Amino acid sequence: MVSPWRVREASWRRRKDVGVANLSPEEREAAGVLSSIVGAALLVSRAGEAGMASPLSAALDALDMAAGSLVARDVLEAGLSEWLEALEREGTRACLGQVGEVLAGHDARYEAFQVAAGVALVDGDLSRDEAAGLGQLATALGLSTGEAEQLFEGVNEWMG
């Protein structure tokens, strides 16, 4: 069985090569899910790094540590760059809404929250800003408080 992460990555790469209009509906969905998971991680990462000089570098390192075995670093970097541009253009609230809209109804919303929690915990500490960012993400993803807490605890235990 092929990993959904590999399918998402292949679709995302194809989207970059041939354009969204030339993808099948399944490929568009897979590429959108991967992009939204990366966006979710960036939004939480940004909440915890106010004032940092290089947001792309810090977010990429954290995301690579949290999800690097799932997706190639070059894909993570390109995805983060796209989301940083969207944040500059549209702001956090609009980007959260977009992530929530793409992932609504998908099990991938759990993955997005888990990857974002992993990014927040990669330094061994959950800051108040990161906790608030995870709360905003949970709301955007339509997760209940119980679901978010359960997902967070699983990630926290896994990261040790």
Side-chain angles (χ1 to χ4, degrees):
M1 177 179 225
V2 178
S3 160
W5 286 92
R6 294 297 170 227
V7 171
R8 293 170 188 155
E9 182 177 338
S11 296
W12 191 89
R13 287 184 187 280
R14 187 161 148 67
R15 179 194 79 164
K16 297 301 273 179
D17 292 341
V18 302
V20 174
N22 295 316
L23 297 179
S24 71
E26 294 81 16
E27 288 175 314
R28 271 194 296 274
E29 183 176 319
V33 165
L34 177 58
S35 177
S36 294
I37 290 172
V38 169
L42 176 66
L43 291 164
V44 171
S45 171
R46 290 289 300 247
E49 63 181 33
M52 291 192 85
S54 178
L56 178 61
S57 177
L60 179 59
D61 289 344
L63 185 54
D64 193 37
M65 283 199 241
S69 64
L70 300 172
V71 181
R73 188 174 172 96
D74 67 309
V75 171
L76 296 176
E77 184 172 16
L80 286 171
S81 293
E82 287 179 8
W83 278 99
L84 277 171
E85 290 172 13
L87 273 170
E88 295 286 322
R89 254 188 344 266
E90 301 165 28
T92 301
R93 180 173 284 153
C95 288
L96 274 170
Q98 185 177 352
V99 165
E101 185 178 312
V102 169
L103 296 176
H106 289 279
D107 287 343
R109 64 193 177 111
Y110 299 123
E111 293 173 272
F113 188 85
Q114 290 170 314
V115 170
V119 166
L121 291 169
V122 98
D123 64 358
D125 183 43
L126 180 68
S127 73
R128 187 177 314 205
D129 291 337
E130 288 167 329
L134 283 170
Q136 291 173 337
L137 177 61
T139 299
L141 294 172
L143 300 176
S144 70
T145 301
E147 286 175 310
E149 287 174 356
Q150 186 176 10
L151 291 167
F152 180 82
E153 286 306 316
V155 172
N156 194 27
E157 284 179 28
W158 181 75
M159 293 190 74

